[in-house]
């Protein structure tokens, strides 16, 4: 390896930190007991602690960096799907066949594994689904099937990015909306919304929803394969444990969605049109360690401004251009689970954001739900 190649590798290595969660999951499975909590504790407390010690990273990478210089960044997202697959089903085989762990402990273990598949797996799938190479998009679908949330790709690309920060986007959390209400609303709305978006795309091509080009066929088949593997390992109990892992992962995904756009809304221009998406329409966070874990997802202001930009090239913004989160996602996820704490922390920031960017809007009530008319 040349000195230049070694330099590229070392610059990418911090973003490989998420890989530590797979061996920690295996340790939890083998040791049992209090070790079951090691993965969620690492995510929710260790990385925020490192955030506090390392501070913010406000440096922006060179946007002219050639794609070949990003191979070590891309590689971590491509090797994770098989690692996660082996971890989930390998641990399922071990704990259900060896008989050294109680049923309750097995359930808790797979809930803990769900914190890994939600924090890393779905996040990596998010990066992969935005890229053009087919291998990356296939890898995204493979990861999402492992958490039974395959429709997320259609919903995210066809609905969320189009309608973000408007009442038409289910996963833009409304001002004063608690996470628990948000979570169950999203579970009810996003699946049908994603299917409808794909159906309309097919109709524009003169095709029916049942056409095999509808990605939902792929979603359903992949998810059935995952459930079949779980059943072949441990019957209906294996399916239950796999589903517990998936539910926890979905919960973590939607916690992140809740944080990313809470209370932020694009201005309505009339006739159903909105202003272009700008960095101000997503919360930005430059916390170093949690961005290593989440491969720069917290630079979310730039992601929505330039959705196809690869994670190592995402830019960060200062408080003049984008609203800033006080902490990284892992710590804020805990706050979001306690609505009074969340509102006390974030509502003043939303009100300050409104006053700064849209002082002319006096009545924000129409921005709460899609059923209300937008103010003109």
């Amino acid at each position: 390896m040349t000195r230049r190649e070694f330099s590229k590798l070392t610059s990418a290595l911090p973003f490989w930190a998420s890989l530590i969660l797979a061996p920690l999951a295996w340790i939890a499975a083998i040791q049992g007991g209090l070790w079951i909590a090691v993965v969620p504790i690492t995510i929710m407390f260790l990385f925020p602690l490192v955030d506090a010690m390392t501070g913010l990273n406000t440096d922006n990478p060179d946007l002219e960096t050639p794609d070949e210089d990003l191979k070590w960044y891309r590689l971590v997202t491509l090797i994770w799907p098989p690692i996660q697959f082996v971890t989930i089903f390998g641990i399922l085989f071990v704990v259900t066949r060896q008989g050294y762990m109680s049923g309750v402990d097995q359930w808790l273990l797979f809930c803990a594994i769900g914190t890994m598949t939600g924090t890393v797996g779905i996040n990596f799938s998010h990066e992969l689904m935005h890229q053009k190479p087919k291998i990356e998009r296939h890898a995204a679908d493979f990861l999402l099937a492992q958490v039974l949330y395959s429709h997320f790709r259609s919903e995210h690309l066809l609905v969320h990015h189009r309608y973000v920060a408007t009442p038409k986007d289910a996963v833009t959390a409304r001002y004063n909306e608690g996470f628990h209400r948000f979570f169950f609303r999203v579970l009810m709305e996003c699946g049908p919304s994603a299917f409808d978006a794909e159906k309309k795309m097919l109709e524009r091509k003169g095709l029916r929803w049942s056409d095999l080009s509808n990605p939902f066929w792929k979603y359903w088949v992949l998810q059935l394969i995952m459930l079949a593997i779980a059943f072949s390992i441990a019957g209906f109990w294996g399916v239950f444990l796999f589903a517990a892992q998936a539910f926890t992962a979905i919960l973590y995904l939607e916690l992140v969605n809740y944080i990313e756009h809470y209370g932020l809304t694009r201005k309505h221009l009339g006739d159903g049109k909105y202003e272009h998406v700008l960095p101000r329409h997503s919360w930005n966070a430059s916390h170093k360690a949690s961005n290593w874990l989440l491969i720069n997802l917290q630079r979310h202001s730039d992601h929505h401004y330039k959705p196809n930009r690869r994670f190592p090239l995402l830019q960060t913004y200062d408080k003049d251009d984008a609203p800033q989160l006080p902490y990284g996602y892992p710590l804020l996820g805990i706050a979001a689970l306690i609505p009074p704490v969340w509102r006390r922390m974030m509502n003043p920031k939303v009100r300050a954001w409104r006053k700064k960017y849209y002082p002319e809007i006096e009545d924000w009530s129409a921005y709460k739900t899609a059923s209300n008319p937008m103010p003109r």
Side-chain angles (χ1 to χ4, degrees):
M1 181 180 291
T2 65
R3 181 175 297 179
R4 186 166 179 267
E5 279 295 316
F6 183 74
S7 175
K8 295 177 190 174
L9 171 60
T10 54
S11 65
L13 277 180
F15 293 101
W16 288 56
S18 53
L19 297 186
I20 194 177
L21 297 179
L24 288 179
W26 277 102
I27 292 171
I30 293 168
Q31 297 294 328
L34 293 177
W35 280 98
I36 290 174
V38 68
V39 172
I41 285 175
T42 299
I43 293 168
M44 293 186 290
F45 297 104
L46 179 59
F47 276 93
L49 179 62
V50 180
D51 268 342
M53 294 188 294
T54 57
L56 306 179
N57 176 16
T58 57
D59 295 334
N60 282 322
D62 182 4
L63 293 176
E64 301 302 318
T65 303
D67 200 51
E68 56 267 23
D69 286 356
L70 304 178
K71 68 178 183 179
W72 294 109
Y73 297 92
R74 292 181 60 200
L75 183 60
V76 68
T77 62
L78 288 171
I79 65 173
W80 179 258
I83 290 174
Q84 179 174 290
F85 178 84
V86 170
T87 300
I88 293 171
F89 290 110
I91 290 176
L92 182 64
F93 181 88
V94 169
V95 301
T96 58
R97 297 292 182 90
Q98 299 302 315
Y100 63 88
M101 188 178 287
S102 70
V104 171
D105 280 354
Q106 290 178 31
W107 170 67
L108 290 172
L109 172 64
F110 274 84
C111 289
I113 291 172
T115 66
M116 175 190 75
T117 56
T119 302
V120 180
I122 298 182
N123 183 37
F124 280 25
S125 76
H126 168 258
E127 168 70 14
L128 292 163
M129 72 175 65
H130 275 284
Q131 308 310 321
K132 292 181 179 179
K134 287 185 177 180
I135 187 173
E136 293 181 273
R137 293 195 169 219
H138 289 321
D141 289 334
F142 183 54
L143 281 171
L144 290 174
Q146 292 174 41
V147 294
L148 304 178
Y149 217 53
S150 296
H151 69 269
F152 174 63
R153 173 163 72 90
S154 295
E155 188 279 331
H156 185 80
L157 297 178
L158 302 181
V159 182
H160 178 58
H161 271 275
R162 181 178 181 181
Y163 295 115
V164 65
T166 76
K168 293 183 178 181
D169 177 37
V171 297
T172 295
R174 320 310 186 208
Y175 178 74
N176 254 343
E177 182 179 31
F179 170 72
H180 303 87
R181 179 181 295 178
F182 165 85
F183 180 57
F184 288 106
R185 179 175 62 78
V186 166
L187 290 183
M188 295 297 293
E189 294 180 12
C190 284
S193 175
F195 186 86
D196 187 60
E198 293 289 359
K199 180 182 176 182
K200 287 178 178 177
M201 282 191 66
L202 289 167
E203 287 174 349
R204 288 194 289 271
K205 299 176 183 178
L207 300 173
R208 294 172 57 85
W209 73 265
S210 56
D211 190 86
L212 292 179
S213 62
N214 187 340
F216 270 79
W217 290 112
K218 180 182 181 182
Y219 301 162
W220 293 329
V221 169
L222 283 174
Q223 289 178 163
L224 283 173
I225 289 172
M226 298 300 167
L227 291 169
I229 294 172
F231 183 82
S232 69
I233 292 173
F236 287 110
W237 179 244
V239 171
F240 170 78
L241 293 177
F242 180 77
Q245 169 271 144
F247 179 81
T248 308
I250 293 165
L251 178 71
Y252 267 70
L253 163 67
E254 299 305 348
L255 266 173
V256 168
N257 276 333
Y258 180 79
I259 294 166
E260 287 169 340
H261 304 284
Y262 175 77
L264 306 182
T265 312
R266 282 191 277 158
K267 186 176 182 179
H268 187 246
L269 303 177
D271 298 323
K273 297 180 180 179
Y274 304 91
E275 64 179 316
H276 289 297
V277 178
L278 297 169
R280 71 179 66 164
H281 298 123
S282 306
W283 291 99
N284 188 72
S286 301
H287 300 80
K288 191 175 292 186
S290 47
N291 267 322
W292 292 339
L293 173 67
L294 298 169
I295 55 171
N296 275 344
L297 181 66
Q298 297 175 146
R299 294 188 169 200
H300 210 63
S301 297
D302 196 49
H303 170 67
H304 272 277
Y305 185 50
K306 299 291 182 182
N308 295 327
R309 188 171 285 166
R310 288 191 180 273
F311 81 86
L313 300 183
L314 288 172
Q315 308 289 287
T316 193
Y317 296 88
D318 59 28
K319 62 182 180 180
D320 292 329
D321 296 312
Q324 304 294 311
L325 290 171
Y327 307 103
Y329 289 176
L331 198 58
L332 286 175
I334 299 172
L337 291 171
I338 312 170
V341 172
W342 175 261
R343 287 194 292 267
R344 183 175 297 178
M345 180 185 299
M346 293 301 298
N347 280 8
K349 292 182 178 295
V350 175
R351 292 193 294 268
W353 174 88
R354 290 174 171 181
K355 184 177 180 180
K356 178 177 182 178
Y357 292 109
Y358 303 103
E360 72 279 12
I361 300 178
E362 296 181 357
D363 181 13
W364 287 87
S365 61
Y367 284 81
K368 290 182 180 179
T369 64
S371 60
N372 287 332
M374 300 291 290
R376 295 179 181 273

